[in-house]
Amino acid sequence: MPLKNRKMSDLRGLPSVDKLLQTTTAARLIEEYGRPQTLSAFRQILDDARQAASQGSPLPDQAALLETAAARLTGWFAPTLLPVINASGVILHTNLGRAPLSKAALQAQQIISGGYSTLEFDLETGKRTRREIHAEKLLSRLTGAEAVLVVNNNAAAVLLILSALAQRRNVVISRTQLVEIGGGFRVPEVMKQSGARLVEIGATNRVHLSDYESALDEAAPALTLRAHHSNFRLIGFTSEPSLAEIAAAAHARGVPLVDDLGSGALLDTAAFGLAHEPTVQESLAAGADLVCFSGDKLLGGPQAGIIVGRGDLITKIRKHPLARALRADKSCLAALAATLQHYLKDEALREIPVWQMISCTPAQVKARAEAWQRTLGQGEVLESQSTVGGGSLPEEVLPTFALALSTAQPNRVLAELRAHRPALIARIESGWLVFDPRTVLPEQDCDLLNALKNALRLQS
């Protein structure tokens, strides 16, 4: 028989799509993944089998085809956004989603997202209202701000402020603040995108009040902007005027001052042995006309960009077309409102995970690490350091205690821990595998220990 005819004869041994659909496996796959995707998987695996046969590979039987189809469907539908246990010791780990939400914030999201809500509806009047009101009252009470606007992140807040208030106009900013933060977010490029014209003052390490005064007099700016240094720190021969001094100089010339705080602390970090991070309240008290900050950093809430300050300026920003494109959704606003209530009730340290972690004492952390050690029956509890992360408080650390495990192949063990469900994220320090309890939620201890036992068993 000619080779071509023999190959065609071999291919007749492949079952048809219809025959595969008549199997009990197909019925289960259709129930789980739907008929269209199951059909697509069957067609693909049959095409692959024909291609492989044309190159001399044997034909798979029906059972093997169905097994391959099931694996392919599983891969297509496997989620990529997965929960992890963060034992790295980095509290605001940007790659791991930054701030975990409080139980009240999670409950608020579930209640509001599961049905209809008063997102933009006033029950008293029966008319449409603004979605910002759900956070405005709480933030105004917390900070003393006249008005509030919430968008989807702080980068959006900066872009919106500049677009609405300074398009085709000058904005004064110090060279000490022209930073790039995570993901390639560069302050000068955002200003350019907004249409604002950058007026740089000072040097890369020093800026004086006289630099601001000269630029305010000569450039006729629409705004003065102070930007948070994020992960960058000025050390050595450096100087910058205070926010109050910049505000006084700007206001004397009728120019609004915008303070991009980044992290958005509402509590004093110095009370927990860290450097002082300027709070939103302090910025407003110092004379900033607008303050913008993140919701998912030191605030400890959902991803959001929050703008607080003068009512007339926020009214103008709210009317800009970008405001609708960048607005926060109902789930964000529900979680943000619940988080803000923790501050108003003076329960942030007890209820907000980020502040639970920051305020946790070394003795409390050590006790958890020792409990892990006893359960595993191995490892050492060593002194270490936790970091805040998330572009907040660069180089600042908190004393901690961590469970340290010795293994000949630490990177392999880390890979096995990442493959566990839920995945466990840790770090290597001086050859040890290090697990910091500070950033592990208390309810995750059991999952952490199961992951460690499994990984250590595979290594033995």
Side-chain angles (χ1 to χ4, degrees):
M1 180 186 295
L3 180 62
K4 180 178 179 181
N5 291 339
R6 182 167 60 82
K7 287 183 176 179
M8 290 179 64
S9 177
D10 290 345
L11 291 178
R12 292 192 188 100
L14 282 174
S16 66
V17 171
D18 286 341
K19 186 173 182 181
L20 292 177
L21 286 172
Q22 293 169 13
T23 63
T24 56
T25 299
R28 176 180 61 79
L29 294 176
I30 290 171
E31 176 71 22
E32 186 170 358
Y33 300 110
R35 185 179 178 86
Q37 294 303 314
T38 302
L39 274 172
S40 179
F42 285 170
R43 287 168 180 152
Q44 281 194 17
I45 61 168
L46 289 172
D47 286 344
D48 291 346
R50 293 185 190 99
Q51 180 66 29
S54 70
Q55 297 174 2
S57 298
L59 291 178
D61 59 22
Q62 180 170 289
L65 288 168
L66 290 169
E67 184 179 348
T68 303
R72 187 157 302 183
L73 284 162
T74 299
W76 288 351
F77 283 85
T80 55
L81 185 59
L82 298 167
V84 303
I85 302 170
N86 175 20
S88 71
V90 181
I91 296 173
L92 293 171
H93 199 307
T94 299
N95 297 344
L96 301 184
R98 289 186 182 159
L101 296 180
S102 72
K103 290 181 174 61
L106 290 171
Q107 185 179 26
Q109 281 188 325
Q110 184 177 19
I111 292 171
I112 294 303
S113 299
Y116 297 104
S117 65
T118 57
L119 179 63
E120 293 182 352
F121 187 81
D122 187 322
L123 291 174
E124 185 175 336
T125 65
K127 296 180 179 179
R128 182 173 182 171
T129 186
R130 295 185 292 105
R131 64 178 61 196
E132 295 86 15
I133 64 170
H134 307 296
E136 189 170 49
K137 178 178 64 175
L138 300 170
L139 278 163
S140 294
R141 183 172 289 275
L142 276 167
T143 66
E146 290 180 6
V148 172
L149 182 63
V150 181
V151 292
N152 59 14
N153 62 26
N154 193 48
V158 175
L159 177 64
L160 180 57
I161 290 169
L162 295 172
S163 299
L165 303 180
Q167 194 169 50
R168 294 188 295 276
R169 298 183 64 188
N170 293 333
V171 175
V172 173
I173 186 170
S174 168
R175 289 187 176 92
T176 61
Q177 296 156 24
L178 297 178
V179 297
E180 176 182 321
I181 61 176
F185 179 90
R186 293 180 174 180
V187 170
E189 292 178 0
V190 172
M191 295 181 72
K192 181 180 179 181
Q193 184 66 35
S194 72
R197 293 192 291 264
L198 185 66
V199 178
E200 301 178 30
I201 61 171
T204 54
N205 62 322
R206 304 194 86 190
V207 62
H208 305 287
L209 184 60
S210 58
D211 295 320
Y212 280 96
E213 291 170 335
S214 297
L216 287 163
D217 289 334
E218 297 168 7
L223 296 173
T224 299
L225 174 65
R226 189 183 79 159
H228 193 280
H229 291 148
S230 189
N231 283 325
F232 170 66
R233 171 172 285 180
L234 286 169
I235 59 174
F237 188 60
T238 66
S239 67
E240 291 180 302
S242 69
L243 185 64
E245 290 173 323
I246 301 170
H251 294 164
R253 295 157 178 83
V255 178
L257 170 63
V258 177
D259 192 16
D260 171 15
L261 269 186
S263 294
L266 294 177
L267 300 179
D268 184 5
T269 53
F272 308 98
L274 296 164
H276 176 67
E277 180 78 3
T279 67
V280 177
Q281 301 93 311
E282 289 170 347
S283 290
L284 290 169
D289 298 284
L290 293 175
V291 180
C292 60
F293 53 97
S294 296
D296 59 345
K297 292 186 179 180
L298 287 175
L299 184 69
Q303 177 181 299
I306 302 166
I307 308 170
V308 299
R310 275 174 45 186
D312 60 326
L313 297 178
I314 288 183
T315 296
K316 188 172 182 180
I317 294 168
R318 188 179 288 125
K319 292 178 179 178
H320 192 276
L322 269 180
R324 182 176 179 84
L326 302 174
R327 66 186 182 179
D329 76 336
K330 61 185 178 183
S331 176
C332 167
L333 292 170
L336 179 59
T339 303
L340 294 172
Q341 288 194 32
H342 292 316
Y343 289 95
L344 284 170
K345 295 176 181 178
D346 195 27
E347 61 184 22
L349 299 185
R350 187 177 73 246
E351 299 295 337
I352 299 177
V354 164
W355 287 103
Q356 291 173 349
M357 295 173 188
I358 290 174
S359 62
C360 194
T361 67
Q364 291 170 324
V365 180
K366 185 179 182 181
R368 286 184 70 193
E370 289 173 340
W372 294 353
Q373 180 192 37
R374 287 193 299 271
T375 301
L376 289 174
Q378 60 180 295
E380 295 187 32
V381 175
L382 303 177
E383 290 187 56
S384 188
Q385 295 177 330
S386 308
T387 59
V388 177
S392 307
L393 300 163
E395 299 182 0
E396 288 293 311
V397 297
L398 290 163
T400 196
F401 286 87
L403 174 65
L405 299 175
S406 178
T407 175
Q409 297 178 302
N411 285 308
R412 182 179 174 183
V413 176
L414 285 181
E416 289 169 354
L417 293 173
R418 292 195 301 272
H420 193 269
R421 293 296 176 266
L424 174 56
I425 310 299
R427 70 178 190 270
I428 299 174
E429 186 177 305
S430 301
W432 294 85
L433 278 179
V434 176
F435 304 85
D436 189 342
R438 185 182 295 277
T439 52
V440 178
L441 300 174
E443 60 268 24
Q444 295 177 325
D445 279 9
C446 184
D447 284 332
L448 176 141
L449 291 167
N450 286 337
L452 284 176
K453 288 175 184 176
N454 183 64
L456 293 172
R457 183 170 57 250
L458 291 174
Q459 290 297 300
S460 61

